[in-house]
Amino acid sequence: MKTYNVGIIGATGMVGQRFISLLENHPWFKVTVLAASARSAGKTYEKAVGNRWAMATPIPENIKNIIVKNAQEDVKEIANSVDFVFCAVNMQKDEIKALEELYAKNECPVMSNNSANRFTDDVPMIVPEINAEHIELVEAQKKRLCTKRGFISVKSNCSLQSYVPALNPLMDCGITKVLACTYQAISGAGKTFDTWPEMIDNVIPFIGGEEEKSEKEPLKIWGKVNNGKIELANTPAITTQCLRVPVSDGHMAAVFFSLDKKLTKEEILKRWEEFKGEPQKLNLPSAPKQFLHYFEEENRPQTKLDRNLENGMAVSIGRLREDSQYDYKFVCLSHNTVRGAAGGAILMAELYAAKGYFD
């Protein structure tokens, strides 16, 4: 595989930092351009991020002295100097949509971590193990944008990255309804305990917009490509509650579901163990070898112990058992800024690279 030059738009934020950390030794992708707001533009990355660097490992040496570009004013220059960009900006949704489309129209593919384009008809929203075939939407999008290689692809919301993969191997048995309660880490809000001390010893039972995303986005992921857009799945009916909890990283979910075709516990466990998606078949660099891990112990998965499983790219599941109101219930866990954000976008980009979309 060739090496691709990559830009990170929104490089100083929490997800932008995670992109930098994860891409430090990537075999295919080399970070050559960093961009952020006008406040950071013109400074070295080290100076721009200052004391806000929140990763466990230090800023990579080859990144520290890169001069940060202006994400909005330097679009042409950035687009002409990279093969594609990752986008994780903190702006209003209409501004993000316009910015991502501007990069695409300048013939620069955009791998987006933002929610703004998730329900644009011809923009694929990819969980690589689940709906890799949705990348064919890109051709319809290019026609609309009048581009040769520029397009936008988005990853889904971090809150559903644990329970949607766990449910996916059971979908052919007709999942009719799902109840999911998510317990979400503070890094999902771009915070640490140093910057958000109010979260210590506290739970907030509301995260703006999160429940709507968690109920609606799976239906696009499970939808079908039809006439250049996604026809949303009709089932399952999903209801969610999303809580912010005092955890640094890792989103957990308690999930209840019912099926048309009944499965035994052993059959469900076998499906989880054997499930492989396109990233595993293609042996993509960031793909977990075992995507879905089941723990037999009653007290697992645990956020602190299991969020970094397979470099934070695997989903952990536990406590599968029958339920009195639904057919089954279980708990699950994923690393929200790795699998749920930057790592998921990197895996998505690897899928596009393997399929030749950046060439």
Side-chain angles (χ1 to χ4, degrees):
M1 178 64 68
K2 63 178 280 190
T3 300
Y4 297 90
N5 290 330
V6 175
I8 299 173
I9 313 301
T12 58
M14 180 77 79
V15 176
Q17 293 177 30
R18 182 67 74 180
F19 274 121
I20 287 170
S21 177
L22 292 176
L23 290 169
E24 182 175 5
N25 298 303
H26 197 280
W28 298 358
F29 303 151
K30 180 183 179 183
V31 178
T32 57
V33 173
L34 302 174
S37 67
R39 184 178 64 252
S40 298
K43 300 176 183 177
T44 65
Y45 183 76
E46 185 176 32
K47 188 171 182 180
V49 78
N51 61 4
R52 293 180 293 119
W53 181 256
M55 301 296 104
T57 54
I59 301 172
E61 288 297 322
N62 65 320
I63 295 294
K64 287 181 178 179
N65 293 317
I66 293 180
I67 302 299
V68 177
K69 304 286 186 186
N70 188 311
Q72 292 177 283
E73 294 182 3
D74 297 332
V75 173
K76 278 189 177 296
E77 180 185 350
I78 293 168
N80 289 334
S81 60
V82 298
D83 294 300
F84 69 94
V85 296
F86 292 108
C87 190
V89 293
N90 184 13
M91 298 163 61
Q92 295 297 316
K93 279 193 176 184
D94 58 343
E95 295 175 326
I96 295 172
K97 287 187 76 169
L99 183 66
E100 291 183 344
E101 192 163 300
L102 187 57
Y103 276 94
K105 285 182 174 178
N106 276 274
E107 300 294 357
C108 183
V110 178
M111 301 288 105
S112 177
N113 187 72
N114 303 301
S115 64
N117 270 303
R118 287 183 189 151
F119 278 90
T120 303
D121 280 345
D122 55 14
V123 171
M125 180 168 62
I126 302 291
V127 179
E129 284 88 351
I130 297 176
N131 63 335
E133 70 280 4
H134 285 192
I135 65 175
E136 67 185 72
L137 266 182
V138 162
E139 298 309 318
Q141 186 189 150
K142 286 179 182 177
K143 288 180 182 178
R144 173 175 64 87
L145 297 176
C146 299
T147 59
K148 293 181 179 178
R149 66 183 300 274
F151 65 91
I152 304 162
S153 185
V154 299
K155 54 154 291 298
S156 65
N157 192 48
C158 56
S159 66
L160 53 84
Q161 293 278 343
S162 55
Y163 64 86
V164 168
L167 293 171
N168 191 68
L170 315 177
M171 285 292 289
D172 65 322
C173 293
I175 299 179
T176 56
K177 59 180 181 175
V178 175
L179 164 63
C181 295
T182 62
Y183 307 89
Q184 301 184 205
I186 63 172
S187 57
K191 304 286 189 179
T192 65
F193 286 117
D194 288 337
T195 60
W196 202 5
E198 297 85 358
M199 272 307 301
I200 297 173
D201 193 31
N202 194 21
V203 172
I204 298 176
F206 173 73
I207 305 172
E210 205 76 359
E211 288 160 3
E212 293 86 348
K213 295 173 189 174
S214 299
E215 293 171 357
K216 188 178 177 184
E217 288 185 18
L219 301 180
K220 182 169 182 178
I221 293 168
W222 284 321
K224 303 295 182 185
V225 178
N226 187 11
N227 293 324
K229 63 180 182 179
I230 295 295
E231 188 177 289
L232 301 182
N234 294 318
T235 56
I238 304 171
T239 185
T240 66
Q241 287 205 107
C242 301
L243 290 74
R244 189 72 71 193
V245 295
V247 168
S248 57
D249 293 300
H251 288 356
M252 185 171 280
V255 184
F256 305 74
F257 68 96
S258 291
L259 296 157
D260 269 336
K261 177 186 174 184
K262 303 309 179 194
L263 293 172
T264 66
K265 178 179 178 179
E266 291 70 28
E267 288 171 330
I268 294 171
L269 294 178
K270 187 173 187 288
R271 284 170 176 248
W272 283 343
E273 182 181 1
E274 293 179 352
F275 180 73
K276 293 184 185 298
E278 195 74 358
Q280 287 72 37
K281 295 171 186 175
L282 294 172
N283 197 28
L284 298 179
S286 298
K289 301 301 180 188
Q290 182 68 38
F291 182 33
L292 305 177
H293 286 251
Y294 186 79
F295 288 92
E296 295 288 350
E297 300 92 330
E298 288 187 345
N299 63 346
R300 302 282 289 277
Q302 291 183 26
T303 304
K304 200 169 186 177
L305 295 178
D306 303 314
R307 61 190 167 201
N308 290 314
L309 194 63
E310 297 228 29
N311 299 313
M313 290 297 289
V315 171
S316 303
I317 312 170
R319 301 199 69 208
L320 176 66
R321 59 218 189 276
E322 292 186 6
D323 182 67
S324 60
Q325 306 300 310
Y326 290 73
D327 288 336
Y328 283 99
K329 54 190 171 186
F330 63 89
V331 295
C332 52
L333 170 73
S334 61
H335 195 304
N336 58 296
T337 67
V338 182
R339 165 55 75 164
I346 291 169
L347 185 62
M348 176 173 70
E350 291 170 0
L351 179 67
Y352 278 102
K355 301 286 187 181
Y357 280 82
F358 301 145
D359 298 330

